[in-house]
Amino acid sequence: MSRIKLTIDQQAATAQPGDTILQAAQNRNISIPTLCNLEGLIPWGGCRVCLVIVVGRPRPVPACATTAEDGMEVITDSPSLRSARQRIVELIFAERNHLCPVCVMNNHCELQSLAKDLQVDHVRYAFLAPAMGIDLSQQRFGIDHNRCILCRRCVRVCDEVEGAHTWDVSGRGAASRVITDLAQPWGSSSTCTDCGKCVQACPTGALFEKGIVAQRKTSISLQRLVAWRRRKDR
Protein backbone atom coordinates (compact mmCIF):
# COMPACT_ATOMS: atom_id res chain seq x y z
CA MET A 1 0.00 0.00 0.00
CA SER A 2 1.22 3.51 -0.79
CA ARG A 3 2.40 5.71 2.06
CA ILE A 4 0.37 8.66 3.24
CA LYS A 5 1.87 12.09 2.69
CA LEU A 6 1.07 14.94 5.03
CA THR A 7 2.58 18.12 6.45
CA ILE A 8 3.41 18.52 10.15
CA ASP A 9 4.59 21.93 11.30
CA GLN A 10 5.39 22.81 7.68
CA GLN A 11 7.57 19.74 7.36
CA ALA A 12 6.84 16.97 4.87
CA ALA A 13 6.01 13.72 6.62
CA THR A 14 4.87 10.25 5.66
CA ALA A 15 2.89 7.56 7.43
CA GLN A 16 1.65 4.05 6.87
CA PRO A 17 -2.09 3.63 6.30
CA GLY A 18 -3.70 3.40 9.72
CA ASP A 19 -0.96 5.34 11.52
CA THR A 20 -2.02 8.13 13.84
CA ILE A 21 -0.87 11.74 13.66
CA LEU A 22 1.23 11.07 16.75
CA GLN A 23 3.03 8.16 15.06
CA ALA A 24 3.63 10.23 11.94
CA ALA A 25 5.08 13.06 14.06
CA GLN A 26 7.30 10.69 16.03
CA ASN A 27 8.64 9.23 12.78
CA ARG A 28 9.63 12.79 11.82
CA ASN A 29 11.16 13.43 15.29
CA ILE A 30 8.49 16.02 16.05
CA SER A 31 7.59 15.98 19.74
CA ILE A 32 3.95 16.02 20.85
CA PRO A 33 3.32 15.76 24.61
CA THR A 34 1.23 12.82 25.84
CA LEU A 35 0.07 11.33 29.14
CA CYS A 36 -2.51 8.60 28.54
CA ASN A 37 -0.77 7.25 25.44
CA LEU A 38 1.54 4.26 25.74
CA GLU A 39 3.19 2.63 22.76
CA GLY A 40 1.79 -0.83 22.14
CA LEU A 41 -1.63 -0.12 23.63
CA ILE A 42 -4.78 0.79 21.73
CA PRO A 43 -5.02 4.61 21.68
CA TRP A 44 -7.61 6.02 24.06
CA GLY A 45 -7.31 9.80 23.64
CA GLY A 46 -8.53 10.56 27.14
CA CYS A 47 -6.11 13.11 28.57
CA ARG A 48 -6.23 15.50 25.58
CA VAL A 49 -2.66 16.69 26.23
CA CYS A 50 -1.67 15.71 22.68
CA LEU A 51 -4.21 18.04 21.03
CA VAL A 52 -3.10 19.34 17.63
CA ILE A 53 -4.64 21.54 14.97
CA VAL A 54 -5.65 19.99 11.66
CA VAL A 55 -6.17 22.75 9.15
CA GLY A 56 -9.76 22.76 7.96
CA ARG A 57 -11.23 21.09 11.04
CA PRO A 58 -13.33 23.16 13.47
CA ARG A 59 -11.50 22.18 16.65
CA PRO A 60 -8.21 20.56 17.81
CA VAL A 61 -8.01 16.76 17.73
CA PRO A 62 -6.03 14.25 19.85
CA ALA A 63 -2.94 13.25 17.89
CA CYS A 64 -2.79 9.79 19.50
CA ALA A 65 -6.29 8.81 18.37
CA THR A 66 -6.63 10.60 15.02
CA THR A 67 -5.65 8.70 11.89
CA ALA A 68 -3.25 10.46 9.54
CA GLU A 69 -4.74 11.24 6.15
CA ASP A 70 -3.21 12.05 2.80
CA GLY A 71 -2.79 15.80 2.29
CA MET A 72 -3.45 16.59 5.95
CA GLU A 73 -1.82 19.76 7.31
CA VAL A 74 -1.06 19.50 11.03
CA ILE A 75 0.09 22.15 13.52
CA THR A 76 1.49 20.73 16.78
CA ASP A 77 2.55 23.95 18.51
CA SER A 78 0.82 27.30 18.78
CA PRO A 79 -0.11 29.75 21.55
CA SER A 80 -3.64 28.33 21.71
CA LEU A 81 -2.39 24.73 21.93
CA ARG A 82 0.15 25.58 24.63
CA SER A 83 -2.56 27.37 26.61
CA ALA A 84 -4.93 24.40 26.27
CA ARG A 85 -2.25 21.95 27.40
CA GLN A 86 -1.34 24.11 30.37
CA ARG A 87 -4.96 24.29 31.49
CA ILE A 88 -5.38 20.53 31.11
CA VAL A 89 -2.34 19.87 33.30
CA GLU A 90 -3.53 22.42 35.87
CA LEU A 91 -6.93 20.72 36.03
CA ILE A 92 -5.25 17.35 36.56
CA PHE A 93 -3.29 18.76 39.49
CA ALA A 94 -6.41 20.40 40.92
CA GLU A 95 -8.54 17.27 40.74
CA ARG A 96 -6.51 15.09 43.15
CA ASN A 97 -3.83 15.55 45.82
CA HIS A 98 -0.48 15.64 44.03
CA LEU A 99 2.04 16.45 46.77
CA CYS A 100 5.21 16.03 44.74
CA PRO A 101 7.83 16.46 47.52
CA VAL A 102 6.54 13.41 49.39
CA CYS A 103 5.65 11.27 46.36
CA VAL A 104 7.59 8.07 45.69
CA MET A 105 8.05 9.19 42.07
CA ASN A 106 9.22 12.75 42.74
CA ASN A 107 11.55 13.84 39.90
CA HIS A 108 10.66 10.67 37.97
CA CYS A 109 7.01 11.44 37.20
CA GLU A 110 5.62 12.01 33.71
CA LEU A 111 3.01 14.48 34.97
CA GLN A 112 5.66 16.45 36.84
CA SER A 113 7.96 16.46 33.81
CA LEU A 114 5.14 17.58 31.53
CA ALA A 115 4.26 20.42 33.89
CA LYS A 116 7.88 21.55 33.81
CA ASP A 117 8.02 21.38 30.01
CA LEU A 118 4.82 23.41 29.75
CA GLN A 119 6.05 25.90 32.37
CA VAL A 120 3.15 25.20 34.69
CA ASP A 121 4.35 26.69 37.98
CA HIS A 122 0.95 27.37 39.57
CA VAL A 123 -2.67 26.26 39.31
CA ARG A 124 -5.41 28.76 38.52
CA TYR A 125 -8.25 26.49 39.65
CA ALA A 126 -9.59 25.63 43.06
CA PHE A 127 -8.18 22.37 44.40
CA LEU A 128 -10.88 19.78 45.02
CA ALA A 129 -8.81 18.09 47.75
CA PRO A 130 -10.89 14.88 47.77
CA ALA A 131 -10.53 12.33 50.56
CA MET A 132 -8.75 9.56 48.64
CA GLY A 133 -7.48 6.33 50.08
CA ILE A 134 -4.33 4.23 49.80
CA ASP A 135 -4.54 0.46 49.28
CA LEU A 136 -1.54 -1.48 50.57
CA SER A 137 -3.28 -4.85 50.77
CA GLN A 138 -1.36 -6.31 47.82
CA GLN A 139 1.82 -8.10 48.88
CA ARG A 140 4.23 -6.41 46.43
CA PHE A 141 2.49 -3.25 45.27
CA GLY A 142 0.36 -0.37 46.47
CA ILE A 143 -1.98 2.19 44.99
CA ASP A 144 -2.37 5.79 46.12
CA HIS A 145 -5.56 7.19 44.60
CA ASN A 146 -4.42 10.71 45.49
CA ARG A 147 -1.90 10.58 42.65
CA CYS A 148 -4.04 8.82 40.03
CA ILE A 149 -4.73 10.86 36.87
CA LEU A 150 -7.22 8.34 35.40
CA CYS A 151 -5.12 7.79 32.28
CA ARG A 152 -6.31 4.16 32.26
CA ARG A 153 -2.90 2.88 31.26
CA CYS A 154 -3.10 0.32 34.07
CA VAL A 155 -6.57 -0.79 32.91
CA ARG A 156 -5.48 -1.12 29.30
CA VAL A 157 -2.18 -2.92 29.86
CA CYS A 158 -3.86 -5.39 32.22
CA ASP A 159 -6.57 -6.07 29.64
CA GLU A 160 -4.72 -5.86 26.33
CA VAL A 161 -1.37 -7.37 27.33
CA GLU A 162 -1.81 -9.49 30.45
CA GLY A 163 -5.39 -10.49 29.61
CA ALA A 164 -6.46 -10.43 33.26
CA HIS A 165 -8.66 -7.30 33.22
CA THR A 166 -8.17 -6.89 36.95
CA TRP A 167 -8.39 -3.10 36.70
CA ASP A 168 -11.39 -1.03 35.70
CA VAL A 169 -12.88 2.41 36.43
CA SER A 170 -15.77 3.06 38.79
CA GLY A 171 -17.76 6.26 39.13
CA ARG A 172 -18.13 9.30 36.90
CA GLY A 173 -16.37 12.63 36.60
CA ALA A 174 -14.30 13.74 39.56
CA ALA A 175 -15.64 10.77 41.55
CA SER A 176 -14.04 8.26 39.17
CA ARG A 177 -11.34 5.97 40.43
CA VAL A 178 -9.60 2.83 39.26
CA ILE A 179 -10.67 -0.35 41.02
CA THR A 180 -9.64 -4.00 41.13
CA ASP A 181 -12.29 -6.59 40.32
CA LEU A 182 -15.60 -5.45 41.87
CA ALA A 183 -14.06 -2.68 43.98
CA GLN A 184 -12.29 -5.22 46.19
CA PRO A 185 -8.99 -4.50 47.94
CA TRP A 186 -6.13 -5.22 45.55
CA GLY A 187 -4.83 -7.93 47.88
CA SER A 188 -8.16 -9.77 47.68
CA SER A 189 -8.25 -9.82 43.87
CA SER A 190 -8.79 -13.26 42.38
CA THR A 191 -7.79 -12.15 38.88
CA CYS A 192 -4.51 -10.30 39.53
CA THR A 193 -1.50 -12.27 38.28
CA ASP A 194 1.01 -10.20 40.29
CA CYS A 195 2.85 -9.36 37.06
CA GLY A 196 3.48 -5.67 37.83
CA LYS A 197 2.72 -4.42 34.31
CA CYS A 198 0.20 -1.92 35.68
CA VAL A 199 2.85 -0.48 37.99
CA GLN A 200 5.31 -0.11 35.11
CA ALA A 201 2.64 1.53 32.94
CA CYS A 202 1.59 4.12 35.54
CA PRO A 203 2.95 7.59 34.64
CA THR A 204 2.79 8.91 38.22
CA GLY A 205 3.25 7.56 41.74
CA ALA A 206 -0.30 6.21 41.92
CA LEU A 207 0.86 2.61 41.43
CA PHE A 208 4.14 1.74 43.06
CA GLU A 209 6.26 -1.13 44.25
CA LYS A 210 6.62 -1.29 48.00
CA GLY A 211 10.07 -0.33 49.24
CA ILE A 212 10.99 1.47 46.00
CA VAL A 213 11.39 5.20 46.53
CA ALA A 214 12.19 7.79 43.85
CA GLN A 215 13.38 5.22 41.34
CA ARG A 216 12.55 5.63 37.70
CA LYS A 217 10.14 3.04 36.42
CA THR A 218 11.33 1.08 33.42
CA SER A 219 9.57 2.49 30.39
CA ILE A 220 7.39 0.06 28.49
CA SER A 221 8.11 -0.13 24.78
CA LEU A 222 6.19 -1.84 22.04
CA GLN A 223 8.86 -4.55 21.93
CA ARG A 224 8.42 -5.35 25.64
CA LEU A 225 4.66 -5.44 25.30
CA VAL A 226 4.91 -7.81 22.36
CA ALA A 227 7.35 -10.01 24.27
CA TRP A 228 4.96 -10.16 27.24
CA ARG A 229 2.09 -11.08 24.96
CA ARG A 230 4.09 -13.87 23.34
CA ARG A 231 5.06 -15.33 26.72
CA LYS A 232 1.44 -15.14 27.83
CA ASP A 233 0.23 -16.95 24.71
CA ARG A 234 2.62 -19.87 25.11
Side-chain angles (χ1 to χ4, degrees):
M1 299 178 66
S2 59
R3 294 181 67 84
I4 293 169
K5 298 180 180 179
L6 66 160
T7 302
I8 305 177
D9 292 342
Q10 300 183 336
Q11 300 182 51
T14 59
Q16 296 284 358
D19 281 356
T20 63
I21 292 175
L22 178 62
Q23 290 171 316
Q26 290 173 337
N27 292 338
R28 198 67 174 79
N29 293 321
I30 297 173
S31 177
I32 299 176
T34 65
L35 266 181
C36 70
N37 186 71
L38 185 62
E39 184 182 11
L41 298 181
I42 297 172
W44 180 57
C47 72
R48 276 352 201 208
V49 171
C50 68
L51 287 175
V52 296
I53 295 171
V54 176
V55 176
R57 298 199 182 183
R59 60 184 62 86
V61 299
C64 72
T66 304
T67 304
E69 298 177 3
D70 203 52
M72 183 179 276
E73 184 178 346
V74 179
I75 300 171
T76 71
D77 188 27
S78 72
S80 63
L81 288 175
R82 286 193 295 274
S83 177
R85 290 167 182 163
Q86 288 172 339
R87 291 179 182 275
I88 288 169
V89 170
E90 289 178 40
L91 286 168
I92 291 174
F93 274 107
E95 190 174 55
R96 296 286 172 98
N97 306 306
H98 297 277
L99 304 177
C100 295
V102 295
C103 178
V104 295
M105 292 305 294
N106 188 29
N107 295 321
H108 300 291
C109 168
E110 291 182 37
L111 175 62
Q112 190 182 57
S113 296
L114 180 59
K116 181 179 179 181
D117 292 342
L118 294 175
Q119 298 181 330
V120 175
D121 55 9
H122 67 285
V123 175
R124 290 167 285 183
Y125 306 98
F127 286 89
L128 298 183
M132 307 298 291
I134 301 175
D135 183 359
L136 299 175
S137 61
Q138 216 276 350
Q139 183 177 2
R140 295 177 55 202
F141 310 115
I143 176 169
D144 185 348
H145 292 282
N146 294 282
R147 312 187 196 288
C148 178
I149 61 173
L150 296 172
C151 66
R152 289 170 169 77
R153 276 162 52 160
C154 58
V155 176
R156 290 147 60 206
V157 75
C158 186
D159 182 27
E160 298 172 26
V161 180
E162 184 61 17
H165 199 83
T166 298
W167 293 99
D168 214 322
V169 178
S170 173
R172 300 183 64 182
S176 298
R177 65 175 184 140
V178 293
I179 60 171
T180 52
D181 293 342
L182 297 177
Q184 298 173 345
W186 192 357
S188 302
S189 171
S190 60
T191 60
C192 180
T193 62
D194 201 33
C195 68
K197 295 182 182 65
C198 56
V199 177
Q200 296 296 321
C202 181
T204 66
L207 290 169
F208 56 91
E209 184 174 357
K210 293 179 180 179
I212 303 298
V213 179
Q215 178 173 315
R216 186 178 300 276
K217 297 176 182 177
T218 306
S219 61
I220 296 181
S221 66
L222 177 60
Q223 290 75 21
R224 291 189 64 196
L225 289 172
V226 170
W228 275 331
R229 187 183 295 275
R230 286 175 178 170
R231 287 200 297 271
K232 178 175 69 70
D233 292 340
R234 287 178 181 172

